[in-house]
Amino acid sequence: MAKAPSAHAPAPAAAAAPHHELSKEQLRAIFRSMLLQRTVDNRGFQLNRQGKIPFAAGSEGHEAVQAGTGMAFQRGRDLLFPYYRDVGLCMASGFPTIEVFYSLFARAKDNGGGRQFPSHLTKKSAGIYSFSSIIAGHMTHAVGAAYALKYRNEHDRVAICTFGEGATSEGEWHEAMNFAGVQRLPIVFVCENNQWAISTPQEKQMAVKDVAIKAAGYGMEGVIIDGFDPIAVYDAVTTAREKAVSGGGPTLIEAKCYRFLSHTTDDDDRTYRSKEEVESHRKDDPVPRFERWLVEHGIVSPADVEALKKDVLREVNECTDAAEAEPYPQASELYTNLVEGAWEPWQ
Amino acid sequence: MAVTTETTVMNNVEAVRTTLYEALKNDSRTLIMGEDVGPRGNVFLITKGFLDEFGPQRVLDTPLAEASIVGIAVGMAMEGLRPIAEIQFADFIFPAFNQIVGEAAKTRYRSNGDFTCPLVIRTPYGGGVRGSLSHSISVEALFYHVPGLKIVAPSTPADMKGLLNAAIDDPDPVLYLEHKKTYRLIKGEVPGGHYTIPIGKAAVRREGHQLTVVSYGLNVHQALEAANQLEADEALKVEVIDLRSIRPMDKQTILASVRKTRKLMIIHEDNKFGGIGAEISAMVAEEALFDLDAPICRLCGPDVPPMGYALPLEEEFMISTERMKQRMREMVKF
Ligand SMILES: Cc1ncc(C[n+]2csc(CCOP(=O)(O)OP(=O)(O)O)c2C)c(N)n1
């Protein structure tokens, strides 16, 4: 992919031509995923402002890393351990859009029964593992699941675990990386480095410029990529995946991106970062950037783009309406599914 | 090691060891993980020889990192394995608190049943073994507040096996507490073959109509000795209940006994304030206050960190059988 001058300029090695070709159809699918993620994001914030939902977490700026990773994820085989900013990744990995809206509206049909915040998606049948909200708490789960794959000699399967750069400060992050390295587990770690953890910038989070160099401490390869470039992301995750399935162990991929919106609808980023900073990154916005590239390379026409955008908006509108019309869980659902059967039956 | 179908006399360590061995033998999804469980065979030699027979994948020496021991086990459990994780000493379980309380106990609930977490966390706890400040503590009260987390603390070899089997078979996370002092001290008959003792069922170890004593772990054995002596020497009839499961708690057995004896005493080594006895007392006060003929008595570890290394400090912390006798006598006579 031709690169415009970018704050996210990748390390020279990653700028080389991709090793894994994508078909036109796949490129269009990636673009659709990115559009869908952006549209769902906007809808979440809109619904919050309309007072229809109490909370939404956006992911603008993460579209390329998530669509690229989702394309590399092998449905029906791989296990995904996402975090709360990964609605786009989940959808790109097979999570139905309508179910995102059940989660946004906390409807009974939500896979988690409306118990968790929106964006904390779960769908075992799609290989998408439940995330608790505890930053880095899912890292060891991904590692344990990768151990299970190896234990059962399921050689064509990997776990993919994503997180922000803030998560890399947690002790559990390091424990998970360490074990994955010691056991050479089939796992791909993808850091969506958006440079901010709520209001804490990366330089207050760690004393190094790149998350990827932390990989060295765990005997695994660290790779830095332009997280605004979905093709580079796809390529890096696919390469790491191939290494993992062939017994080469884990990889830490650092996709440098940016968080365009506030942390969530409950946050106001104007209190801790400048408009200018955000705008400077917006210039590289991965969605229009990829759109231009696709048009320039004749993969889509401007008319195709318009049709695609209309179709995505239609899907999101339909899902919004359908989910909103669904009922909440019954209050009695508070007491179910704590353990199998009844918990302290005398209560 | 061989699997036997015959009843055998063994101590608590041997009961745990036998049960773990049979679990590995019977179900390829089970594996043991923790610090020094491999060539060393665990610091109490519980898994000695397992590595040779089952290999390093199933007898997994982990890095020295408790949060990940439990967290990785959670991931394995979510992905269909049946991990039996070991925390070398209960005193070192705190780094894993996040994973036990925040993750394991909530996995099923937060995903509304989409994922489950069939996981056993075993850990030796308790004092009286010159374990000092950092190898002696009881941790049950720090966990029993947590809905969805089962906690068992068996006291006899037969229960060690039956409850460990139940914990391994259980589709939800279970914290399995082994009192260190009972490891080699307590011996008893253990049936051969696979059997379970239901989690959440207490056992009336000794019948009596003048006082109900509820206890668990090492203290049960002392309470039984005290009650036996009181009967032999003074014809006092004390009922002793071995709680076995701390959560879910067997409310019915406690209430039925208290309604019969009309007096309740709770004995545990763990600190008194906010301990298991506090919950039992509150529960009995709510449900059976007017059945009581005496104030509830809690004989517990003092509210200082357990427990000094120097012998007098340890002895002062631990509850002696003599003290149990004295309080039981006072309660019966009240
Ligand atoms: C263990 C823990 N501590 C604190 C929080 C509160 N919190 C939620 S998100 C967040 C920042 C996370 O930043 P990062 O990992 O970089 O991911 P990002 O939100 O930037 O995508 C914090 C501190 C939490 N959820 N979990």
Side-chain angles (χ1 to χ4, degrees):
Chain A
M1 176 173 178
K3 289 188 186 67
S6 163
H8 310 278
H19 302 93
H20 299 91
E21 289 299 323
L22 284 157
S23 68
K24 284 188 174 184
E25 206 176 298
Q26 285 176 308
L27 288 166
R28 280 194 289 260
I30 287 176
F31 183 51
R32 192 180 193 283
S33 289
M34 293 170 70
L35 289 174
L36 181 62
Q37 180 173 342
R38 174 82 37 118
T39 312
V40 167
D41 250 27
N42 287 337
R43 183 56 50 87
F45 273 65
Q46 272 169 12
L47 290 169
N48 176 261
R49 280 194 294 267
Q50 290 168 2
K52 290 188 169 177
I53 62 173
F55 175 90
S59 61
E60 284 196 17
H62 289 245
E63 291 85 353
V65 50
Q66 295 188 21
T69 305
M71 183 55 74
F73 176 85
Q74 297 297 303
R75 295 185 191 191
R77 262 193 282 166
D78 291 350
L79 309 177
L80 186 66
F81 290 79
Y83 77 122
Y84 53 80
R85 210 171 292 291
D86 281 325
V87 171
L89 170 56
C90 290
M91 292 190 295
S93 304
F95 193 90
T97 314
I98 181 69
E99 295 181 16
V100 173
F101 282 87
Y102 295 151
S103 150
L104 278 166
F105 283 106
R107 294 313 195 228
K109 278 191 177 169
D110 168 46
N111 295 325
R115 288 172 178 191
Q116 281 197 283
F117 263 159
S119 308
H120 294 57
L121 305 177
T122 176
K123 197 172 181 65
K124 193 175 185 201
S125 60
I128 296 172
Y129 277 67
S130 158
F131 175 80
S132 73
S133 265
I134 299 172
I135 300 288
H138 68 315
M139 299 283 312
T140 50
H141 305 171
V143 167
Y147 190 92
L149 298 179
K150 192 174 174 182
Y151 183 93
R152 295 190 301 244
N153 296 316
E154 295 171 353
H155 293 304
D156 57 345
R157 306 179 71 189
V158 305
I160 296 178
C161 180
T162 58
F163 45 86
E165 83 290 347
T168 72
S169 302
E170 287 281 0
E172 290 197 21
W173 186 87
H174 294 269
E175 293 191 20
M177 298 291 289
N178 186 45
F179 187 83
V182 169
Q183 295 286 334
R184 290 179 75 78
L185 295 179
I187 184 164
V188 182
F189 298 105
V190 181
C191 177
E192 302 181 28
N193 182 353
N194 64 18
Q195 306 177 34
W196 289 91
I198 310 187
S199 68
T200 307
Q202 184 184 329
E203 59 270 22
K204 283 192 188 165
Q205 201 70 246
M206 63 193 84
V208 293
K209 203 167 95 315
D210 302 313
V211 166
I213 70 158
K214 301 186 186 196
Y218 308 108
M220 70 179 81
E221 188 187 354
V223 179
I224 300 169
I225 48 167
D226 177 359
F228 279 179
D229 177 354
I231 298 176
V233 173
Y234 170 78
D235 193 38
V237 177
T238 303
T239 302
R241 201 191 165 281
E242 284 171 354
K243 183 172 86 182
V245 296
S246 60
T251 307
L252 170 59
I253 295 170
E254 177 185 11
K256 300 218 188 247
C257 60
Y258 193 76
R259 197 192 80 210
F260 293 149
L261 303 176
S262 289
H263 173 64
T264 65
T265 49
D266 288 342
D267 178 38
D268 180 356
D269 67 341
R270 291 169 304 184
T271 58
Y272 51 81
R273 64 181 184 182
S274 70
K275 238 171 93 181
E276 291 71 38
E277 180 190 312
V278 179
E279 272 162 13
S280 77
H281 291 280
R282 270 281 188 202
K283 287 201 197 90
D284 284 326
D285 188 330
V287 181
R289 196 174 108 174
F290 192 50
E291 178 184 319
R292 280 196 303 275
W293 187 89
L294 289 171
V295 173
E296 273 167 24
H297 287 75
I299 291 156
V300 293
S301 68
D304 291 338
V305 171
E306 283 325 298
L308 210 51
K309 286 182 177 169
K310 258 179 87 175
D311 185 53
V312 164
L313 188 61
R314 173 203 53 79
E315 182 184 354
V316 169
N317 285 340
E318 284 174 12
C319 289
T320 308
D321 293 344
E324 194 175 5
E326 285 290 327
Y328 270 134
Q330 301 281 323
S332 58
E333 288 294 314
L334 186 71
Y335 305 101
T336 60
N337 272 322
L338 179 54
V339 295
E340 188 179 272
W343 173 247
E344 290 183 339
W346 43 265
Q347 273 193 338
Chain B
M1 249 183 114
V3 175
T4 172
T5 53
E6 275 159 34
T7 295
T8 317
V9 173
M10 55 178 87
N11 63 27
N12 275 349
V13 152
E14 289 159 347
V16 173
R17 173 176 165 75
T18 304
T19 314
L20 291 176
Y21 181 84
E22 290 177 11
L24 288 180
K25 203 92 183 144
N26 294 339
D27 185 349
S28 64
R29 297 171 307 168
T30 56
L31 66 110
I32 289 172
M33 57 190 292
E35 293 156 13
D36 309 300
V37 297
R40 159 75 198 180
N42 146 301
V43 291
F44 296 98
L45 306 183
I46 287 177
T47 56
K48 192 165 164 38
F50 286 18
L51 178 66
D52 290 341
E53 186 159 349
F54 299 107
Q57 271 206 312
R58 300 189 67 202
V59 184
L60 170 59
D61 262 336
T62 64
L64 208 172
E66 289 75 13
S68 66
I69 291 173
V70 176
I72 291 163
V74 169
M76 291 171 172
M78 289 172 89
E79 184 44 36
L81 299 186
R82 290 294 186 133
I84 306 166
E86 175 180 305
I87 300 295
Q88 197 165 64
F89 291 92
D91 309 67
F92 312 124
I93 203 168
F94 304 123
F97 196 82
N98 179 46
Q99 284 292 331
I100 298 170
V101 175
E103 300 284 356
K106 279 191 187 156
T107 303
R108 183 191 288 271
Y109 191 76
R110 74 161 184 263
S111 67
N112 205 17
D114 195 25
F115 285 93
T116 60
C117 187
L119 155 70
V120 181
I121 304 160
R122 290 181 41 246
T123 191
Y125 77 103
V129 293
R130 303 301 303 281
S132 88
L133 222 45
S134 53
H135 295 73
S136 295
I137 67 167
S138 300
V139 293
E140 57 273 22
L142 296 168
F143 289 99
Y144 89 131
H145 188 64
V146 181
L149 180 63
K150 298 178 184 178
I151 307 174
V152 297
S155 68
T156 68
D159 280 4
M160 284 274 170
K161 180 169 178 181
L163 278 163
L164 186 51
N165 275 331
I168 294 167
D169 292 352
D170 200 279
D172 292 292
V174 181
L175 183 58
Y176 183 91
L177 304 174
E178 303 164 12
H179 197 291
K180 288 194 285 295
K181 188 160 184 174
T182 70
Y183 266 165
R184 295 198 162 78
L185 186 69
I186 302 302
K187 296 191 177 66
E189 287 192 344
V190 176
H194 185 272
Y195 67 94
T196 59
I197 288 173
I199 295 173
K201 285 302 294 169
V204 179
R205 295 283 183 215
R206 183 183 202 287
E207 294 200 9
H209 64 273
Q210 293 178 308
L211 169 67
T212 297
V213 170
V214 179
S215 191
Y216 54 91
L218 172 70
N219 291 153
V220 169
H221 300 285
Q222 296 173 276
L224 283 169
E225 195 186 326
N228 287 341
Q229 289 175 15
L230 287 173
E231 172 143 32
D233 302 342
E234 303 168 42
L236 306 182
K237 306 257 192 260
V238 176
E239 182 143 305
V240 177
I241 295 175
D242 182 352
L243 210 48
R244 305 199 288 193
S245 291
I246 286 169
R247 211 161 179 203
M249 192 179 278
D250 187 351
K251 181 173 160 179
Q252 271 88 10
T253 298
I254 297 171
L255 285 175
S257 175
V258 165
R259 290 194 169 114
K260 177 178 76 175
T261 66
R262 309 185 72 84
K263 287 176 185 170
L264 172 64
M265 178 172 170
I266 303 136
I267 306 178
H268 58 65
E269 178 181 319
D270 196 4
N271 307 110
K272 183 170 183 177
F273 192 98
I276 308 306
E279 181 61 32
I280 298 174
S281 304
M283 185 265 286
V284 170
E286 275 184 337
E287 306 262 338
L289 187 66
F290 298 117
D291 294 318
L292 294 178
D293 287 342
I296 295 168
C297 166
R298 286 183 287 160
L299 184 57
C300 306
D303 285 314
V304 296
M307 57 192 61
Y309 180 50
L311 190 58
L313 300 180
E314 182 179 279
E315 284 176 348
E316 175 63 16
F317 191 98
M318 298 292 285
I319 307 163
S320 70
T321 309
E322 249 344 278
R323 271 174 70 206
M324 291 184 188
K325 259 172 82 175
Q326 188 191 323
R327 294 296 286 135
M328 286 179 189
R329 190 185 295 116
E330 286 165 15
M331 283 295 284
V332 171
K333 304 226 157 119
F334 184 90

